[in-house]
């Protein structure tokens, strides 16, 4: 577990892996002791959840406000990351559950669908295409486009869906975060292509137009480790997130 020299001692790769797992075990033990010594109820303790960074700022605040009012003693740690890292934190047990996309699914993970999220074109309200009810991908080939970078699973989804498009659009700007793309759109640098939940908040001067031909959607859902039973605090939050999205879909 350790590499030793006369001057220092440091963890090996196996030691670092063991330390991470041991830390999680100790966190669970701490939570168990809190439940025993404080109150044997669902209103105490700590939970960790993971969430897509493109969704966390827009969906979680409303949900967690209600959760915090109902479970005042529960601490919530949020790991806001890209799809691959959300999957990794849930698979490793660092997070109780996560909000992720189906495209990152693996055999050890259960996926509970929340919604099918389409990609939209976000542009300034003065743009000639702003009055349209929808825009075809082929119509965007002459536009200055901005999109999420190639490390994002959703970018792979876009590229695969458009691989056979006759007039395939090309990107002028790439960024890791949808919020960065929206900022570029506000500055008039082009049209941002983002998942629709990224545009859930008000952005003065910008409009969202659905993109069709084809209509590309990603499947957003809750992920858990297969066979793992959620702690009561986490189960309550899991259900509240599910109810929130069900209400939003109606």
């Amino acid at each position: 577990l350790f590499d030793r020299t006369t001057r220092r001692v440091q963890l090996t790769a196996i030691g670092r892996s063991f330390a991470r797992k041991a830390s999680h075990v100790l966190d669970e033990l701490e939570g168990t002791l809190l439940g025993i010594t404080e109150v044997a109820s669902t209103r105490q303790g700590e939970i960790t959840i993971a969430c897509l960074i493109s969704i966390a700022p827009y969906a979680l605040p409303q949900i967690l406000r209600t959760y915090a009012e109902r479970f005042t003693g529960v601490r919530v740690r949020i790991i806001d990351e890209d799809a691959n890292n959300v999957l990794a934190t849930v698979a490793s047990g660092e997070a109780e559950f996560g909000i992720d996309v189906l495209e990152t699914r693996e055999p050890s993970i259960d996926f509970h669908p929340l919604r099918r999220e389409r990609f939209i074109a976000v542009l300034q309200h003065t743009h000639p295409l702003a009055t349209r009810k929808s825009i075809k991908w082929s119509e965007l080939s002459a536009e200055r486009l901005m999109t999420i970078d190639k490390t994002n699973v959703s970018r792979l989804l876009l590229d695969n869906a458009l691989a056979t498009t006759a007039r395939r659009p090309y990107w002028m700007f790439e960024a890791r975060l949808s919020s960065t793309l929206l900022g570029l759109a506000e500055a008039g640098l082009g049209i941002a292509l983002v998942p629709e939940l990224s545009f859930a908040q008000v952005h003065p001067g910008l409009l969202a137009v659905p993109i069709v031909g084809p209509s590309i959607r990603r499947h957003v859902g809750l992920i858990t480790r297969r066979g793992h039973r959620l702690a009561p605090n986490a189960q309550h939050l899991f259900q509240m997130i599910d109810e929130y999205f069900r209400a939003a879909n109606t």
Side-chain angles (χ1 to χ4, degrees):
L1 297 180
F2 298 93
D3 283 329
R4 300 176 183 271
T5 67
T6 57
R7 294 179 179 271
R8 64 179 183 176
V9 177
Q10 63 182 12
L11 289 170
T12 63
I14 294 175
R16 289 193 296 272
S17 176
F18 175 81
R20 286 194 297 270
K21 294 177 180 178
S23 176
H24 176 64
V25 170
L26 289 174
D27 286 344
E28 289 188 334
L29 177 60
E30 180 188 19
T32 300
L33 292 175
L34 280 172
I36 294 173
T37 59
E38 294 179 355
V39 179
S41 72
T42 60
R43 300 182 182 275
Q44 299 291 336
E46 177 180 342
I47 60 174
T48 299
I49 65 171
C51 184
L52 282 172
I53 200 167
S54 61
I55 292 178
Y58 311 109
L60 287 185
Q62 298 178 57
I63 299 168
L64 290 177
R65 180 175 59 188
T66 303
Y67 184 82
E69 290 172 353
R70 192 175 303 174
F71 304 98
T72 55
V74 179
R75 297 171 295 173
V76 181
R77 176 177 172 236
I78 304 165
I79 301 175
D80 45 351
E81 276 286 357
D82 60 29
N84 288 328
N85 283 321
V86 168
L87 178 68
T89 57
V90 173
S92 68
E94 184 178 357
E96 281 275 341
F97 66 86
I99 302 177
D100 206 352
V101 290
L102 178 64
E103 287 71 24
T104 59
R105 190 173 182 181
E106 65 174 45
S108 64
I109 295 295
D110 286 329
F111 183 86
H112 176 80
L114 293 174
R115 69 178 292 167
R116 294 181 67 224
E117 182 187 19
R118 63 186 175 182
F119 285 84
I120 56 174
V122 178
L123 59 167
Q124 290 187 318
H125 71 276
T126 55
H127 193 284
L129 294 174
T131 58
R132 300 281 295 277
K133 292 184 178 181
S134 63
I135 303 172
K136 293 182 178 180
W137 283 102
S138 59
E139 295 177 290
L140 294 173
S141 60
E143 299 291 335
R144 185 181 297 225
L145 302 180
M146 305 175 292
T147 188
I148 44 186
D149 67 23
K150 293 180 180 179
T151 64
N152 193 298
V153 172
S154 296
R155 171 61 183 275
L156 180 63
L157 179 66
L158 283 177
D159 288 346
N160 287 343
L162 298 175
T164 58
T165 303
R167 298 175 63 187
R168 184 176 179 179
Y170 292 93
W171 327 113
M172 295 298 294
F173 296 96
E174 293 181 343
R176 181 169 177 263
L177 301 180
S178 297
S179 56
T180 301
L181 298 176
L182 296 178
L184 297 178
E186 287 179 337
L189 290 174
I191 298 176
L193 309 177
V194 297
E196 61 184 332
L197 286 176
S198 302
F199 196 65
Q201 293 181 330
V202 175
H203 295 270
L206 294 180
L207 293 173
V209 182
I211 311 173
V212 297
S215 176
I216 302 175
R217 298 172 182 262
R218 65 179 188 176
H219 297 78
V220 177
L222 290 159
I223 61 171
T224 55
R225 298 193 306 283
R226 182 158 295 170
H228 172 67
R229 183 176 180 179
L230 295 178
N233 288 334
Q235 183 63 43
H236 282 295
L237 183 53
F238 184 100
Q239 291 172 348
M240 290 176 68
I241 293 172
D242 184 42
E243 291 169 2
Y244 173 87
F245 277 92
R246 286 182 182 275
N249 292 337
T250 57

